[in-house]
Amino acid sequence: MHKILVIDDERAIRNTLKEILELENYSVTLAEDGKQGFNLAKEQVFDLIFSDIKMPEMDGMELLCALHEAETDCPIVMISGHGDIDTAVEAIRKGAFDFLVKPIDLNRLLITTRNALERKSLVQETRVLKKKVDNKYKMVGASPAIEQVREMIDKVAPTDAKVLITGANGTGKEVVAHLIHAQSMRSAQPIVEVNCAAIPSELIESELFGHVKGSFTGAIKDKAGKFEQANGGTLFLDEIGDMSLSAQSKVLRALQDNEITRVGGDKPIKVNVRIIAATNKNLKEEIEKGNFREDLYHRLSVIPIHVPSLDERKEDIPALVEHFTDLISTEQGTSKKSFTPDAIEALVERSWTGNIRELRNVVERLIILSGPTISRKEVEMFA
């Protein structure tokens, strides 16, 4: 049930609003002046606040400013007995959600209430989603090896230089790519990911460059490729070492000319993308084997960043375990579990061939299968 605070020095107005809002199944708390209302707003969590402007002790405008200074996460609707446009504008400018004039129109009151509560709900959902995204692409740890990666990200992110990220599977190459994009001048534009290893070789060109209707069986309409989707932003080519030589040739041409041509088309399309590539392969060895173009390698590796394996940064394991415990508990909606010092020690001692991805899976398994406190015995049993 949504909780609403009504602040007004007129008892009749307070009680009328309470009756109307409670008929709509809202929980309503009353305050007879701004000071009392401010104290209630600090003590309790409300979903919406209605406040009169002319009140003793603390008027509505003072209350509005005080609530914003206290970072109260709640929409505030101001009420006035005078339909003063200047006052309404000032209230909105200072952060009020809306402005109502006495006598309050019933329909306007209910519509404003629904709109304010919907807006609060959207803000909360956006905050939760942003937290999930921030946690997903967060580099945890303070080891010298990971600090070196951070320094490289800080230096290269503001530029448009192409970056080649290398490292074993599960080390966090995707995280590095997203952090570079987030700190770049292109952060307001999309980062588009392509997993080159997951797309069949006969479809990779269509996926990257798009196609025109009728260019091959199943091409029932024109389709924009990843280069076009990433225009103005960043194109992340993950596992680029698995890309076919034919596609490599077209990618090289796109990087040289800043334009692409859709499969089956003949019209060049200008694109402006920043390329970040990643691979778990040794591309120099792949060049010697004839599996990767040397000229494309030199185009991509303007700034090489190597992500260390987890075994190279074992001092980060305690912080990573804490991070994953928080993350998994939030995702599953369960109370947070703790690891004993000897459990952490057991995790540090073992070898992590699957790197951070493997560690996350082990932490999740332990959280599911163990009690509130996870011990070395449980690590040895389930990890």
Side-chain angles (χ1 to χ4, degrees):
M1 182 181 288
H2 290 295
K3 294 179 64 178
I4 298 176
L5 174 63
V6 175
I7 309 168
D8 199 301
D9 61 333
E10 295 183 51
R11 180 181 296 176
I13 298 291
R14 293 198 304 270
N15 292 337
T16 300
L17 288 176
K18 180 179 173 68
E19 289 175 13
I20 293 169
L21 293 169
E22 285 184 340
L23 283 172
E24 297 294 317
N25 293 319
Y26 299 121
S27 172
V28 182
T29 302
L30 301 179
E32 60 186 29
D33 59 51
K35 191 171 183 181
Q36 184 186 22
F38 179 67
N39 289 333
L40 282 168
K42 286 199 302 180
E43 294 166 2
Q44 302 178 42
V45 177
F46 292 98
D47 299 302
L48 174 60
I49 296 173
F50 286 98
S51 174
D52 190 21
I53 289 183
K54 300 294 183 182
M55 293 184 295
E57 296 289 337
M58 176 187 284
D59 69 27
M61 288 300 189
E62 291 174 327
L63 172 67
L64 180 63
C65 293
L67 288 173
H68 278 290
E69 285 177 9
E71 298 183 351
T72 303
D73 183 20
C74 179
I76 303 164
V77 177
M78 307 305 294
I79 303 172
S80 175
H82 310 282
D84 185 345
I85 296 296
D86 290 340
T87 304
V89 170
E90 184 184 1
I92 300 297
R93 185 176 60 81
K94 288 184 176 179
F97 176 78
D98 205 347
F99 184 92
L100 300 179
V101 178
K102 299 177 184 178
I104 299 171
D105 178 78
L106 176 60
N107 287 331
R108 178 75 194 282
L109 171 68
L110 295 179
I111 289 170
T112 298
T113 300
R114 282 194 293 270
N115 288 344
L117 292 173
E118 284 176 7
R119 206 278 293 270
K120 185 174 191 292
S121 178
L122 285 171
V123 168
Q124 287 176 330
E125 287 175 13
T126 301
R127 188 177 291 119
V128 169
L129 287 171
K130 186 177 185 302
K131 185 177 180 181
K132 284 184 178 179
V133 171
D134 289 345
N135 281 331
K136 183 178 180 182
Y137 301 118
K138 183 178 181 181
M139 188 175 290
V140 177
S143 63
I146 211 66
E147 285 297 334
Q148 189 174 0
V149 174
R150 279 201 186 92
E151 289 174 12
M152 288 293 289
I153 291 171
D154 291 341
K155 288 177 182 177
V156 72
T159 74
D160 251 356
K162 298 174 184 65
V163 180
L164 178 62
I165 307 167
T166 58
N169 285 333
T171 51
K173 298 187 292 296
E174 182 186 6
V175 171
V176 174
H178 277 265
L179 289 174
I180 291 171
H181 174 74
Q183 295 178 38
S184 75
M185 300 296 288
R186 296 173 179 260
S187 59
Q189 301 302 317
I191 175 170
V192 177
E193 299 181 46
V194 182
N195 187 333
C196 302
I199 302 169
S201 58
E202 63 271 17
L203 295 178
I204 187 69
E205 292 180 29
S206 170
E207 192 71 18
L208 290 173
F209 309 112
H211 59 252
V212 298
K213 180 180 178 181
S215 56
F216 55 84
T217 303
I220 57 175
K221 61 180 180 180
D222 289 358
K223 177 190 173 185
K226 300 298 187 184
F227 267 89
E228 287 179 77
Q229 293 172 29
N231 197 28
T234 302
L235 182 63
F236 175 42
L237 300 174
D238 198 10
E239 304 302 351
I240 196 167
D242 294 282
M243 183 182 286
S244 68
L245 287 168
S246 173
Q248 289 177 37
S249 176
K250 290 197 173 184
V251 167
L252 178 63
R253 196 175 309 122
L255 300 185
Q256 290 171 336
D257 302 335
N258 292 321
E259 65 180 30
I260 55 99
T261 303
R262 290 182 179 179
V263 174
D266 54 13
K267 180 183 176 182
I269 300 169
K270 285 288 182 183
V271 288
N272 172 21
V273 298
R274 180 186 192 169
I275 300 291
I276 300 176
T279 183
N280 62 353
K281 294 185 175 182
N282 185 324
L283 291 187
K284 291 184 177 179
E285 290 181 2
E286 294 300 307
I287 290 168
E288 290 178 7
K289 295 175 185 176
N291 296 331
F292 202 83
R293 294 182 61 111
E294 186 174 8
D295 45 5
L296 178 59
Y297 169 77
H298 290 301
R299 279 274 176 182
L300 294 173
S301 61
V302 176
I303 304 291
I305 297 179
H306 179 72
V307 185
S309 68
L310 187 54
D311 285 344
E312 294 176 285
R313 45 177 293 216
K314 284 197 168 186
E315 58 264 59
D316 291 331
I317 288 177
L320 285 163
V321 170
E322 178 73 15
H323 170 68
F324 289 137
T325 303
D326 284 338
L327 196 62
I328 293 162
S329 300
T330 302
E331 287 175 357
Q332 297 181 352
T334 58
S335 56
K336 183 180 173 182
K337 296 187 177 183
S338 61
F339 284 73
T340 62
D342 62 337
I344 296 293
E345 186 179 336
L347 292 171
V348 172
E349 288 170 357
R350 63 170 286 177
S351 179
W352 296 94
T353 54
N355 295 293
I356 293 173
R357 189 178 297 146
E358 183 187 4
L359 176 62
R360 189 200 190 283
N361 291 343
V362 166
V363 171
E364 185 169 10
R365 189 184 311 139
L366 288 166
I367 288 173
I368 293 169
L369 299 177
S370 304
T373 303
I374 300 166
S375 66
R376 172 184 277 271
K377 180 181 178 181
E378 287 166 312
V379 170
E380 292 171 348
M381 187 183 303
F382 300 125

